[in-house]
Amino acid sequence: MSGHSKWHNIQGRKNAQDAKRGKIFQKLSRELFMAARSGGPDPSSNAALRLIMDKARSANMPKDNIKRAIDKADGSDGANYDEITYEGYAPGGVAVLVHALTDNKNRTSSDVRVAFTRNGGTMGASGSVAYMFDRRGYIAIAREGLDVDEDQMFEDILEAGADDLQTEEDVFEIYTDPKELANVRDILEKKYTLANAELTMIPQNTTPVGPEKAEQFQRLIDALEDNDDVQEVYTAGELPEED
């Protein structure tokens, strides 16, 4: 891997996301709906739905909310969403991918474009930055209180079917083929408590964001993530460490 720590990005956004819990539940509801619509409402036979249900539980989404979102997938209420990926550049030329689920493409496209232009970024054509990212399965296991060294963890993740391990001071970051994520997760959670498991986009290389661009860069990411239709924002940017 490139040395990029997804876990630190996750932790860095956690407090801000906690303040937007209602919005997060709304976005998770759309993900649950789409997964159940495409693969069926039974998580035992729908690995994608099972992963999103775990993600929803980790966000403390109430069981009733999860059930309602899945029940809607029968199509009785006429709800439907289109999946769209937007591509662009943040300040400093940093690659950004924006994944959205929307019931109004024109509204979402306009809102995403405004977020880029008002915060020093530019929209790109389809394919302009997507090639810089790889679709990966991602699992995080916190190291606190875990009496396992890197060699043992590497042996365990290979045995489970994962591809790569990145060791940080506070977490083991595990990467898998996207199709193997559910299986690897199921095997590892028999032995470990998982802090996170999801499908994601990992940049092949990271781009340092200079101190003079860091605030503007963060404003762009925040504006995109705050959009109701935006599910995920992936970036190759690496912010300077705080003092």
Side-chain angles (χ1 to χ4, degrees):
M1 302 299 296
S2 63
H4 176 74
S5 175
K6 179 176 174 61
W7 180 250
H8 291 161
N9 288 344
I10 291 172
Q11 294 300 97
R13 295 200 306 263
K14 187 176 186 302
N15 291 338
Q17 290 178 335
D18 284 346
K20 305 173 184 176
R21 192 160 299 280
K23 189 182 292 287
I24 291 171
F25 290 168
Q26 176 185 332
K27 295 185 179 189
L28 285 167
S29 291
R30 292 189 184 186
E31 289 190 64
L32 289 162
F33 172 90
M34 292 296 287
R37 171 68 65 87
S38 62
D42 183 0
S44 65
S45 58
N46 185 341
L49 177 60
R50 198 159 70 246
L51 283 167
I52 298 168
M53 289 177 70
D54 286 347
K55 182 178 176 182
R57 294 188 190 104
S58 295
N60 296 316
M61 186 174 181
K63 291 181 180 179
D64 288 347
N65 295 40
I66 294 173
K67 185 177 185 302
R68 278 198 301 271
I70 295 172
D71 288 345
K72 283 183 180 180
D74 64 9
S76 59
D77 68 348
N80 194 36
Y81 299 100
D82 291 308
E83 295 187 60
I84 308 175
T85 298
Y86 301 97
E87 304 178 41
Y89 300 91
V94 178
V96 178
L97 281 179
V98 182
H99 178 62
L101 290 175
T102 179
D103 56 2
N104 186 323
K105 293 181 181 179
N106 291 334
R107 177 193 67 223
T108 307
S109 296
S110 175
D111 289 348
V112 169
R113 186 174 297 279
V114 167
F116 271 98
T117 56
R118 285 185 178 175
N119 295 284
T122 56
M123 292 283 284
S126 178
S128 59
V129 303
Y131 72 93
M132 302 179 189
F133 295 79
D134 294 321
R135 186 72 164 165
R136 304 289 283 156
Y138 172 82
I139 296 170
I141 298 175
R143 298 186 66 186
E144 184 178 0
L146 191 65
D147 187 21
V148 176
D149 62 19
E150 183 175 13
D151 290 341
Q152 181 60 57
M153 180 60 70
F154 190 60
E155 183 178 324
D156 288 347
I157 69 119
L158 290 181
E159 187 173 320
D163 297 333
D164 198 10
L165 173 70
Q166 183 170 317
T167 302
E168 300 291 335
E169 183 178 351
D170 53 350
V171 70
F172 288 114
E173 297 185 292
I174 298 149
Y175 296 90
T176 79
D177 182 288
K179 295 178 181 178
E180 297 299 321
L181 174 60
N183 290 333
V184 174
R185 181 209 56 186
D186 290 348
I187 293 170
L188 289 177
E189 69 181 0
K190 292 176 182 177
K191 187 172 182 179
Y192 300 105
T193 299
L194 309 188
N196 193 50
E198 63 181 15
L199 288 169
T200 189
M201 300 293 288
I202 301 294
Q204 296 168 2
N205 296 286
T206 57
T207 303
V209 179
E212 73 284 357
K213 297 286 187 181
E215 184 177 347
Q216 193 177 35
F217 173 88
Q218 193 60 59
R219 282 203 307 268
L220 169 58
I221 301 304
D222 289 345
L224 291 168
E225 290 183 339
D226 198 46
N227 186 293
D228 289 345
D229 298 328
V230 172
Q231 298 298 120
E232 297 287 350
V233 179
Y234 305 107
T235 172
E238 187 172 358
L239 287 167
E241 293 186 6
E242 296 182 1
D243 295 331

